[in-house]
Amino acid sequence: MRTQHYAAFEQAVKVAVPALSALVFDADVPVNPDGTVRRSTYLVLHDMGFDRQDDERLTVTAQDAAEGRYRVVVRVVATTRSAARSTVDAVRSLIGVRPTVAGRFCQPIAIDPGPYPIERDDDVKPPIFYTDLDFTFRSQRA
């Protein structure tokens, strides 16, 4: 169940930001062949799973099929602060998109309120910039 929800969200990201569809990574970003850090604009999806699941029955343990809120943190990485800002604007177009998961009814994607500051990573030279956006959507049995 979790795999299908992640795949639906990843597909929604690739459709919403087609220029980065080949630069969407699942939690780990491959380094360059020479071992250096990737220096480009890209997105890293962190699958946080369901915040909670509830089938609204007090006597039964919630199952994967229960209703729940699914969460993905999208890290926007760029080589400049302005590139990070414009990519954040593009990624925010996910808001209101309804993911498709077989056998489920999914609510439109929402974003948790910020703030979402753009951070500077000085551990790499030259520095790169990033911010994390926290997206959620509710899913229930169809």
Side-chain angles (χ1 to χ4, degrees):
M1 185 69 57
R2 185 171 176 173
T3 300
Q4 293 94 334
H5 284 80
Y6 176 82
F9 186 87
E10 180 181 39
Q11 181 60 32
V13 169
K14 290 178 178 182
V15 169
V17 193
L20 295 178
S21 64
L23 295 168
V24 175
F25 302 103
D26 182 359
D28 294 313
V29 180
V31 295
N32 293 322
D34 63 359
T36 58
V37 172
R38 183 179 295 267
R39 297 200 49 76
S40 64
T41 299
Y42 56 88
L43 304 174
V44 184
L45 308 184
H46 295 281
D47 169 17
M48 306 306 285
F50 286 93
D51 285 354
R52 70 173 184 83
Q53 289 182 284
D54 185 4
D55 60 7
E56 298 180 3
R57 295 183 295 169
L58 298 176
T59 60
V60 177
T61 303
Q63 302 295 317
D64 259 354
E67 181 177 337
R69 186 171 60 171
Y70 188 74
R71 181 177 302 274
V72 179
V73 174
V74 176
R75 175 163 284 180
V76 173
V77 180
T79 56
T80 66
R81 216 176 270 282
S82 63
R85 257 191 307 273
S86 64
T87 304
V88 165
D89 290 343
V91 172
R92 288 180 59 88
S93 68
L94 281 168
I95 298 169
V97 171
R98 189 180 299 268
T100 303
V101 178
R104 306 291 295 176
F105 176 76
C106 296
Q107 294 290 330
I109 295 171
I111 190 169
D112 280 359
Y116 293 109
I118 296 174
E119 305 287 339
R120 178 183 165 119
D121 183 353
D122 287 314
D123 289 340
V124 296
K125 300 294 181 208
I128 55 176
F129 299 86
Y130 68 93
T131 191
D132 293 332
L133 306 172
D134 199 354
F135 290 96
T136 62
F137 64 93
R138 293 200 62 76
S139 173
Q140 63 192 55
R141 294 176 190 96

